[in-house]
Amino acid sequence: METKHTEGTWKTGPCTEGIEVFVRGTAIARCPKSFSDEEFNKEVEANAKLIAAAPELLEALKEAYEHIDSYFFPELKEKCLKAINKATLTNLKMS
């Protein structure tokens, strides 16, 4: 499966509006914070960290998909493939 997302380690860091996700020093996503809602800001931080973890999660999911037995776990394998397709903008079919 080909990778189309920005290669490199994705990290989070503060910006004037909230939190940004960076790759090789370039911001690729911004999660704006609220000036008054601390609960919302906790969600924003969690969202940014999830975005930053996305490449590693995708690689782990691809590896897991290859090892899942479709005879015993067809629903799980299909669910993994659906998520991989969503993340990679592909329309792969179960193997």
Side-chain angles (χ1 to χ4, degrees):
M1 291 177 226
E2 181 183 338
T3 298
K4 296 177 184 171
H5 65 269
T6 305
E7 297 279 343
T9 302
W10 293 21
K11 298 179 180 183
T12 60
C15 69
T16 55
E17 295 88 13
I19 301 174
E20 288 183 325
V21 178
F22 295 91
V23 181
R24 297 187 310 265
T26 302
I28 61 166
R30 180 173 293 134
C31 299
K33 285 187 165 185
S34 166
F35 290 108
S36 59
D37 189 341
E38 283 305 311
E39 283 303 309
F40 177 77
N41 289 342
K42 288 178 185 176
E43 285 184 29
V44 168
E45 186 172 352
N47 290 342
K49 290 184 181 292
L50 181 60
I51 292 167
E56 295 163 79
L57 293 169
L58 178 59
E59 284 307 309
L61 186 59
K62 287 178 180 179
E63 189 173 327
Y65 173 80
E66 294 300 324
H67 291 88
I68 295 171
D69 188 321
S70 58
Y71 180 79
F72 292 106
F73 305 103
E75 295 87 8
L76 178 59
K77 190 152 185 159
E78 185 67 35
K79 190 174 186 179
C80 290
L81 185 60
K82 186 176 180 180
I84 292 167
N85 282 338
K86 183 177 182 179
T88 59
L89 304 174
T90 57
N91 192 21
L92 303 171
K93 304 295 181 199
M94 269 197 13
S95 57

